[in-house]
Amino acid sequence: MASKKIKQAILDYSIKWWIEKSIRITSSDISEKFNLPNEQVMLILEDLESEQKGSLTRNQTDCLIKIEMDEETYTAKISEPIPITVHYFTPSRIILRDHYEKHRMDFENNGEYKNRLILGYSQLELIYFSLEALHKYTDQTEKYIFDDNISGGEVRFNSIYLNDITEDEQEKIFFEKIWFGKRQQRNGEIAIAVILYDLSVLPITEQQYWASYEIKNGTFMRYDKNFDLFFSRTFDGNWEDVKDPLYELSKNIIEINDIFGKEIFTISENQYLRYLVKNTYKEFLRCNSELFKLLDNGHLNVRYLKDIYLNFCKGDKNNLTHKDSKRDLTSLQVLKLIMESLNTDLSNRYFKHIEKINVNRIADAHKTSVQNPKKINYIDQFTKICYETKNLLVEIKRELLKLKNNYEI
């Protein structure tokens, strides 16, 4: 039977290990520290567990490697791994809480999430936040790079911004990245999920910022395929591509341009086009406005469209001007001519959809103060608009491919 002094020393060392590393300790680590047989340490850890001072994962196979210095050659000699059976020990949350309370002053500069690790939370625990926590990063594009998709994304510093500030300033604010997922709550809102360890290594001011948006008792949808994908990528190493509508939308624009080898759409991406980070009508209008920029007159090449209409559709040149004003048709109007010659139903659906986006764009440009008319899930509405836009572009691509293939026969 181990003395109380040795048992307490081992418990204290296990607490110190957890505070420094936030990982459980093995009986072999303790054995090496106290120069005790591993088997004896395993028994002491079993005693500590029975006293509810910690929890064990028993009889795990570990590998012991010995490193010795060769005095003649001054090189390290590493032994072959020796299998060894060990217990893994984690101090109980009550023990860690007591230690924290007794030494609170030692931890006051750690930050909220670093201290949660010290209190026994798992490094891989997901902490949930209001979607609006991301607004800080999307509002400061000169400072942060914000990558977003329907499943999640990440935030990191813009290297150009970092180069313009001093090393002391960098040290106070810098973080490698914040990787987040999106999870739908039962009330329809989207919550942001971040791994606790990633939060724990943020500067203290950044931890304070995130803590102000934390959702303490969120309830979530049982079926959420986008969050499931984030979870699978994060914890299972499954790197299946996210079927993100904004990404697919841009991809289809590029593929449409490739059909004729001409940039019908002059841009395929818009760095300001992203999903809502606030469930407000104003944010919904802003996102519609950015989406419309990919599809509007200003980003369609009217010369190429006229060429397709005349040479591939065998259209009438007279149709390219207004009968009354004799003005040239806009690029959208020429695209409509092409689509009507290929598929009237698709043309009607596409331009009705475009007009819906345009109405929202106009509202965004002219309404200085926008009140939410009622509680609406604008996040979901905009996501549906993105999916619909992508699906319509897929259909347009299919019709243009048929046109090209028929022309070549």
Side-chain angles (χ1 to χ4, degrees):
M1 182 71 66
S3 71
K4 289 184 178 180
K5 186 176 180 181
I6 291 176
K7 190 186 294 186
Q8 185 61 49
I10 287 175
L11 179 60
D12 290 342
Y13 184 64
S14 301
I15 293 169
K16 181 174 181 283
W17 181 282
W18 178 269
I19 288 170
E20 291 177 355
K21 305 176 187 290
S22 297
I23 58 174
R24 55 193 181 169
I25 192 169
T26 69
S27 54
S28 61
D29 290 318
I30 297 171
S31 171
E32 182 179 357
K33 169 67 178 177
F34 291 94
N35 196 24
L36 293 171
N38 180 59
E39 292 75 11
Q40 182 182 349
V41 173
M42 292 169 71
L43 292 173
I44 294 171
L45 294 180
E46 289 171 12
D47 283 346
L48 289 172
E49 183 185 47
S50 68
E51 295 168 7
Q52 298 185 332
K53 293 179 179 177
S55 59
L56 283 180
T57 304
R58 296 172 178 247
N59 301 321
Q60 302 297 298
T61 300
D62 204 351
C63 286
L64 187 64
I65 297 175
K66 292 184 178 180
I67 302 175
E68 295 179 352
M69 289 297 298
D70 188 316
E71 295 181 359
E72 294 183 3
T73 62
Y74 297 101
T75 58
K77 295 173 65 177
I78 302 174
S79 69
E80 289 294 322
I82 303 169
I84 181 174
T85 300
V86 299
H87 288 343
Y88 285 89
F89 179 74
T90 305
S92 73
R93 286 196 180 183
I94 293 174
I95 291 289
L96 291 170
R97 168 69 67 177
D98 288 345
H99 182 87
Y100 177 84
E101 294 296 342
K102 289 175 183 175
H103 304 86
R104 181 180 285 271
M105 294 293 290
D106 294 340
F107 308 118
E108 63 179 5
N109 294 323
N110 282 344
E112 170 74 17
Y113 300 107
K114 174 64 176 175
N115 282 337
R116 282 200 203 174
L117 290 182
I118 288 170
L119 290 168
Y121 288 74
S122 167
Q123 290 191 24
L124 298 180
E125 185 162 343
L126 288 173
I127 311 297
Y128 294 96
F129 303 90
S130 162
L131 185 65
E132 291 191 10
L134 299 177
H135 204 253
K136 163 184 173 179
Y137 308 106
T138 59
D139 271 1
Q140 301 182 67
T141 53
E142 77 289 348
K143 191 172 182 179
Y144 302 105
I145 294 174
F146 182 79
D147 294 330
D148 190 25
N149 62 56
I150 201 164
S151 172
E154 67 177 50
V155 178
R156 59 190 184 280
F157 271 101
N158 187 325
S159 59
I160 296 173
Y161 171 80
L162 290 177
N163 289 336
D164 288 339
I165 63 176
T166 66
E167 289 186 8
D168 287 344
E169 290 173 314
Q170 286 186 32
E171 192 173 334
K172 291 176 184 176
I173 65 170
F174 180 76
F175 55 83
E176 194 70 38
K177 71 176 179 179
I178 302 170
W179 190 22
F180 62 87
K182 295 178 179 179
R183 189 171 188 182
Q184 190 171 23
Q185 301 181 76
R186 287 188 179 176
N187 63 7
E189 296 279 341
I190 297 294
I192 295 300
V194 185
I195 294 171
L196 177 56
Y197 176 79
D198 291 348
L199 292 163
S200 75
V201 296
L202 295 175
I204 188 168
T205 53
E206 207 72 24
Q207 291 187 52
Q208 290 168 345
Y209 170 79
W210 279 87
S212 67
Y213 288 96
E214 186 173 343
I215 298 170
K216 297 291 186 181
N217 297 299
T219 56
F220 302 100
M221 299 294 289
R222 179 172 295 180
Y223 177 71
D224 186 343
K225 64 178 182 180
N226 293 321
F227 176 74
D228 289 345
L229 181 56
F230 165 79
F231 192 93
S232 177
R233 286 163 65 95
T234 303
F235 296 106
D236 299 332
N238 177 5
W239 289 99
E240 177 186 352
D241 287 339
V242 178
K243 300 298 182 184
D244 181 71
L246 284 181
Y247 170 78
E248 294 291 327
L249 188 156
S250 294
K251 179 169 170 276
N252 276 280
I253 286 176
I254 293 170
E255 291 173 352
I256 287 171
N257 285 342
D258 288 343
I259 293 172
F260 297 97
K262 302 176 186 292
E263 287 195 350
I264 299 169
F265 293 90
T266 60
I267 61 171
S268 60
E269 294 182 355
N270 174 4
Q271 65 173 322
Y272 300 106
L273 173 58
R274 51 169 169 73
Y275 298 105
L276 281 70
V277 293
K278 286 184 178 181
N279 187 31
T280 64
Y281 186 46
K282 181 65 177 173
E283 176 76 350
F284 172 73
L285 297 182
R286 188 202 64 75
C287 290
N288 274 266
S289 181
E290 297 300 337
L291 175 59
F292 188 73
K293 289 176 183 177
L294 291 180
L295 313 167
D296 68 358
N297 276 311
H299 295 109
L300 285 170
N301 191 309
V302 70
R303 181 164 65 88
Y304 292 152
L305 288 169
K306 286 180 179 179
D307 180 60
I308 292 168
Y309 176 69
L310 294 174
N311 295 311
F312 289 85
C313 299
K314 305 301 181 185
D316 186 343
K317 186 176 181 180
N318 293 323
N319 292 335
L320 296 175
T321 57
H322 287 283
K323 291 181 181 178
D324 295 331
S325 67
K326 303 303 179 184
R327 291 180 178 176
D328 289 343
L329 297 186
T330 67
S331 52
L332 268 175
Q333 289 168 334
V334 179
L335 178 60
K336 190 171 186 180
L337 280 179
I338 295 171
M339 292 310 304
E340 286 175 343
S341 72
L342 299 176
N343 187 325
T344 304
D345 173 66
L346 174 58
S347 178
N348 290 337
R349 285 187 288 119
Y350 180 73
F351 284 96
K352 182 179 179 181
H353 180 68
I354 291 293
E355 182 55 30
K356 178 171 65 175
I357 298 171
N358 190 34
V359 167
N360 291 329
R361 178 194 68 84
I362 293 169
D364 180 48
H366 296 287
K367 293 183 180 180
T368 56
S369 178
V370 180
Q371 299 295 325
N372 287 6
K374 55 184 177 178
K375 188 63 176 176
I376 295 174
N377 190 331
Y378 293 108
I379 297 168
D380 190 50
Q381 276 198 12
F382 182 69
T383 302
K384 287 177 180 177
I385 288 173
C386 293
Y387 271 115
E388 189 175 353
T389 307
K390 183 268 293 186
N391 291 336
L392 286 166
L393 286 171
V394 169
E395 290 189 64
I396 290 172
K397 180 178 68 176
R398 190 179 299 126
E399 292 295 332
L400 291 175
L401 274 170
K402 280 192 219 173
L403 175 65
K404 173 82 178 302
N405 292 335
N406 290 336
Y407 178 82
E408 291 176 343
I409 291 174

